[in-house]
Amino acid sequence: MSTETGPAPELTDGIVTLRAHTALDADAIVTQSLDPQSQRWTTVPRGYTRVQALTWVQENAAAWQDPRGKRSWAIEWVDGSGQSRLAGTIDLRPGASVTVGELGFGLHPDARGHGVMARAVRLVCRYGFDTGGWGRPLTRIHWRAIVGNWGSRRTAWACGFTMHGTIPESHPDPDGGPTALDTWTGSVAAGDPLRAGTPWYAAPVTEADGIRLRPWRASDIDAIEPRDDDPTHWMPGRSVLRRETFATWRLQREERMAEGTAVEWCVADAQTDRALGGVVLFNRQGPIDDVAELGYQLFPSARGRGVASTAARLAIAHALRPVAEGGLGLRRLVAETAADNAASNGVLRGCGFREFGREHAVDELADGSWGDGLHWELLP
């Protein structure tokens, strides 16, 4: 197959059209480049000008003449008023070989929230897998974004990209700082369906008996209290809520929901909305299918007044509620506790869980001895 050179081929799905950039796009390119979100997540030059936009348009056209050049398209979209306008830019960049590409994209602020970019990504991926760009059809297309760029990650997820993890210190700081930023990375292969392959969960707000379950917020750090016990006896140390690790803890919980492996709630006082602890439904092995594990933890001042029981019941109700009614539609719930954790065991019994197994000498105690662990299940 010959190397792809020439003007950018037009691609369309009937709603979104990808075409070559022109000088008429310059003003919209400037608006997009000066947008705070564009500047936060990309290395677009600060103080971007129309002259820079026109130069960039020319460079994009010239790159199509280069056998190993970047393949860029303007994204054209018909907005709600029926006006055709520039919605952003998308490109394929040469990867590790002529059969591998790297995807890049940016959306104009006026086009966000309409599913435009997911359509554009699917068009480019199909073009890459069918035609290529550098002489042969592609076998894999990679995606990367600065950690925290949830809009970009959601687009990649919606288009079937598999997430491969986080690469530490792998992207220059867009603001020119001395510290490199972490990036998420993912890819899609030829033959993969270009649609989400796993759920992306959210933490729906629900409340009862003065307790509210809601998403975690950055400001909840102010409510976190020092523990008055050894929490690592009751749960993995990395799961314990601490002020000094809360930002990382919260990011990891958001990532788990984006991967479909958990639903994480903040347990809050319904009257004051102050955080009291957390409750979670999760799967240790991968995306939640028809079974999930229940977990919870409370700050010391919230204990002894039924908060954990109410929070657990709310989470259980969401887990067992049919999917058609907004729940997870699970077949079975499980839980694990230390045998000597009387409070947690009481919560589970009160919620209808039954003990079905005991593991001996699995929990190391502070004095160096080993305690037993209990396994619980709940069937609707």
Side-chain angles (χ1 to χ4, degrees):
M1 181 175 294
S2 62
T3 301
E4 294 299 318
T5 57
E10 185 174 290
L11 312 174
T12 185
D13 64 0
I15 295 175
V16 167
T17 298
L18 307 186
R19 57 164 176 79
H21 291 88
T22 74
L24 296 177
D25 298 323
D27 290 340
I29 291 170
V30 171
T31 299
Q32 178 181 327
S33 299
L34 295 178
D35 170 68
Q37 289 298 308
S38 296
Q39 298 201 351
R40 181 181 181 187
W41 302 120
T42 73
T43 54
V44 62
R46 275 43 181 164
Y48 202 80
T49 67
R50 195 171 191 279
V51 171
Q52 288 174 301
L54 290 170
T55 300
W56 186 74
V57 168
Q58 294 173 349
E59 291 172 346
N60 283 338
W64 275 94
Q65 309 306 313
D66 181 349
R68 285 289 285 165
K70 180 178 69 173
R71 306 309 186 208
S72 297
W73 290 265
I75 305 170
E76 192 171 283
W77 166 63
V78 178
D79 65 16
S81 67
Q83 180 181 357
S84 181
R85 55 191 303 180
L86 184 77
T89 295
I90 187 167
D91 60 63
L92 270 178
R93 304 158 191 171
S97 75
V98 294
T99 61
V100 176
E102 296 185 3
L103 185 70
F105 52 81
L107 202 59
H108 191 285
D110 293 345
R112 293 173 188 155
H114 299 282
V116 172
M117 189 55 76
R119 289 179 174 275
V121 168
R122 293 187 186 104
L123 286 169
V124 168
C125 287
R126 291 189 185 108
Y127 172 83
F129 293 137
D130 291 343
T131 303
W134 304 285
R136 295 169 59 188
L138 303 184
T139 59
R140 185 170 298 275
I141 295 174
H142 290 273
W143 160 90
R144 189 172 65 159
I146 296 172
V147 169
N149 189 348
W150 291 105
S152 182
R153 177 160 178 161
R154 195 166 187 93
T155 295
W157 164 81
C159 295
F161 279 70
T162 297
M163 297 298 134
H164 301 308
T166 301
I167 306 175
E169 298 181 271
S170 51
H171 195 285
D173 183 348
D175 292 322
T179 303
L181 305 182
D182 298 349
T183 56
W184 289 317
T185 182
S187 72
V188 64
D192 288 348
L194 297 175
R195 61 179 183 274
T198 59
W200 182 310
Y201 290 123
V205 177
T206 180
E207 62 182 73
D209 300 329
I211 298 301
R212 175 180 298 136
L213 302 191
R214 60 162 174 80
W216 284 98
R217 306 176 188 136
S219 59
D220 289 326
I221 189 173
D222 296 330
I224 297 176
E225 302 169 4
R227 297 285 297 240
D228 55 0
D229 56 9
D230 177 14
T232 59
H233 174 47
W234 314 121
M235 60 180 18
R238 65 183 180 278
S239 298
V240 178
L241 280 159
R242 298 185 175 93
R243 289 195 180 195
E244 60 269 25
T245 57
F246 179 66
T248 299
W249 183 95
R250 179 169 166 260
L251 172 65
Q252 291 171 341
R253 269 63 197 166
E254 290 177 340
E255 290 175 332
R256 290 170 66 179
M257 290 196 288
E259 294 164 354
T261 63
V263 182
E264 299 266 358
W265 286 277
C266 171
V267 179
D269 183 290
Q271 188 170 33
T272 66
D273 206 36
R274 183 175 178 82
L276 304 173
V279 64
V280 58
L281 296 166
F282 66 101
N283 187 350
R284 299 171 189 258
Q285 306 302 321
I288 295 173
D289 186 3
D290 62 349
V291 178
E293 186 170 342
L294 176 70
Y296 41 84
Q297 60 179 307
L298 293 181
F299 305 143
S301 66
R303 297 173 191 159
R305 48 193 177 100
V307 174
S309 294
T310 300
R313 288 192 179 96
L314 287 170
I316 291 167
H318 178 71
L320 301 182
R321 188 176 298 120
V323 174
E325 298 175 16
L328 299 181
L330 301 186
R331 176 179 58 84
R332 180 172 177 260
L333 287 172
V334 297
E336 294 184 14
T337 63
D340 62 352
N341 191 344
S344 187
N345 295 338
V347 168
L348 292 175
R349 288 193 185 95
C351 290
F353 277 78
R354 294 185 178 182
E355 179 186 337
F356 72 89
R358 174 183 286 257
E359 286 186 275
H360 298 284
V362 293
D363 288 320
E364 187 174 10
L365 307 181
D367 62 3
S369 63
W370 292 82
D372 293 352
L374 301 181
H375 293 266
W376 304 79
E377 65 179 357
L378 174 66
L379 295 168

